[in-house]
Amino acid sequence: MTRKTHDLPDSILLAYSTGQLPEAFDLVVAAHVSLSDDSRARLEAFDTIGGAVLEGIDGAAVGEDALSATLARAMCAEPGTVAPRRSVDPVLPGPVGDYIGGGLEDVRWRGIGMGVRQSILHQEDGASVRLMSIPPGAQIPDHGHRGMEMTLVLQGGFRDEFGEFWRGDVEVADEEMEHTPTVIGNVDCICLVATDSRLRFNGLLPRLAQHFLRI
Ligand code: ZN
């Protein structure tokens, strides 16, 4: 039996394809697409369709024939139209390696307690993206979200109320969702996490910790 994977929904791939995501989320999408053949194929289709729609707006009307021709082209599109790419680093996908200018050993980690380490890669207009390294068995306190949170696993795995997430899997959380992720397996879980506003932790101690974690 093959394991259930967690890929990005079409809506987010489309938003990425049309340049509507903050840079913090672009990096997570590009990194995920580097690891997921299924998401890469869907993204390439969106890129092809998006380009054709833009051409249609510029000039001739896009009729049904044009749309089916576009879909046909999308089905046999050549791979490699997107920035995502494989990497020589066994953990960091190409786009993340490009971002920090090296491999995992070049990440500038900062300990934030309980064996948890993080490295903030980019912050802009309330959105941020960071690498986090969390030891086996550790739990991220129960929390909700004030905006969107996107978590991509790069090493190890975690489990929460919505399933198990391993390398290449991505979880998207929004205002509606509360969860308590716990690291599973026997290696540190390394994740790439983008958020577009501060998380809302339940309970005073986690709220104090949040002040120091700056998430
Ligand atoms: Zn969360």
Side-chain angles (χ1 to χ4, degrees), residues 143 145 149 173 179:
H143 63 274
H145 311 90
E149 175 190 80
H179 65 156

Side-chain angles (χ1 to χ4, degrees), residues 24-40:
F25 290 88
D26 270 351
L27 182 60
V28 180
V29 175
H32 165 70
V33 167
S34 303
L35 300 174
S36 165
D37 291 339
D38 175 74
S39 290
R40 186 162 53 248

Side-chain angles (χ1 to χ4, degrees), residues 8-172:
L8 282 173
D10 284 347
S11 56
I12 287 177
L13 291 177
L14 186 59
Y16 172 80
S17 171
T18 52
Q20 293 172 56
L21 292 177
E23 184 175 331
F25 290 88
D26 270 351
L27 182 60
V28 180
V29 175
H32 165 70
V33 167
S34 303
L35 300 174
S36 165
D37 291 339
D38 175 74
S39 290
R40 186 162 53 248
R42 284 184 294 132
L43 177 62
E44 281 162 6
F46 284 135
D47 284 346
T48 307
I49 293 167
V53 169
L54 287 179
E55 282 169 24
I57 290 167
D58 275 354
V62 181
E64 282 207 23
D65 288 350
L67 182 59
S68 50
T70 301
L71 284 169
R73 269 207 308 281
M75 299 301 278
C76 39
E78 292 292 321
T81 56
V82 187
R85 60 175 184 79
R86 297 196 191 285
S87 164
V88 287
D89 189 275
V91 174
L92 301 185
V96 180
D98 291 348
Y99 223 86
I100 66 170
L104 189 61
E105 69 281 2
D106 300 304
V107 175
R108 287 196 296 272
W109 294 108
R110 221 167 55 94
I112 53 177
M114 312 280 282
V116 179
R117 297 176 298 162
Q118 73 171 1
S119 176
I120 296 174
L121 303 183
H122 181 77
Q123 288 191 97
E124 188 177 17
D125 299 333
S128 68
V129 60
R130 71 196 65 211
L131 284 165
M132 296 198 76
S133 176
I134 306 166
Q139 197 172 64
I140 306 295
D142 183 24
H143 63 274
H145 311 90
R146 288 207 178 85
M148 185 159 73
E149 175 190 80
M150 210 185 271
T151 305
L152 169 68
V153 179
L154 301 178
Q155 172 184 291
F158 72 86
R159 175 192 297 131
D160 70 7
E161 293 82 343
F162 302 92
E164 286 190 1
F165 297 79
W166 300 95
R167 178 172 169 81
D169 286 339
V170 62
E171 180 173 53
V172 181

